[in-house]
Amino acid sequence: MRRLVIAAALAGLVAGSPVQAEQCLDRQTLAAARVQEFGAMMMAVSLRCRAIGVDIAPGYEAMLGAHQRAFAAADRHLRTFHAGQGHAFDRYTTQLGNRYGGGATDPANCRRFEHVASDLAAKPDAASLGRVALAMVAQPRLGGRVCPLP
């Protein structure tokens, strides 16, 4: 009887495993992860630049405003992707913050990122954001394998 209870518990654990662990990452999920990670990178750089006395916040905030819908859509998509996995989304966003929050920066890098933010603020189309996110985050930090092309 005890073996039956243990077997049932193990079966429940396997059946309760997150679906995403078995699914591949489709293009929409990869695009959302790139945009999410790019947003985390830009936020961290903005904070690091401010810490060394270079304020890129106006360009960063203008970029956020111009692409608010795309950033919100990426966030919603990834929350849905992580749904049913406890605090997986919180862990994911914390990992992104930790990845980009550390490290050193200098005024030249701050100006480069300010230029990227200002350019994106002037181009509010989703394609522009997608191209920049792809260029800056070729391989997002989202676990899983990429789906094969059809």
Side-chain angles (χ1 to χ4, degrees):
M1 181 67 165
R2 183 171 182 197
R3 288 184 187 179
L4 182 60
V5 170
I6 292 171
L10 290 173
L13 288 174
V14 172
S17 295
V19 174
Q20 282 76 14
E22 297 173 9
Q23 289 183 341
C24 58
L25 303 172
D26 61 28
R27 288 182 186 189
Q28 186 178 6
T29 301
L30 285 171
R34 284 186 184 105
V35 168
Q36 185 86 355
E37 191 163 336
F38 173 70
M41 175 194 311
M42 291 300 294
M43 178 183 64
V45 168
S46 178
L47 293 171
R48 287 196 336 251
C49 289
R50 183 173 45 185
I52 65 166
V54 180
D55 186 13
I56 69 168
Y60 167 69
E61 290 170 6
M63 177 200 70
L64 288 180
H67 294 280
Q68 179 180 3
R69 292 177 67 196
F71 283 115
D75 187 77
R76 281 191 309 274
H77 184 87
L78 292 171
R79 285 179 186 277
T80 300
F81 177 81
H82 288 103
Q85 298 178 51
H87 297 285
F89 181 77
D90 294 335
R91 284 190 302 274
Y92 166 69
T93 57
T94 299
Q95 288 171 347
L96 292 181
N98 290 340
R99 173 171 172 71
Y100 294 108
T105 195
D106 59 57
N109 276 336
C110 293
R111 285 189 292 279
R112 285 185 201 101
F113 277 93
E114 183 176 33
H115 184 70
V116 168
S118 296
D119 281 356
L120 279 173
K123 298 173 188 168
D125 59 293
S128 293
L129 177 61
R131 283 190 298 274
V132 171
L134 176 61
M136 294 184 79
V137 184
Q139 193 65 32
R141 306 311 182 268
L142 187 66
R145 63 183 177 79
V146 177
C147 297
L149 293 174

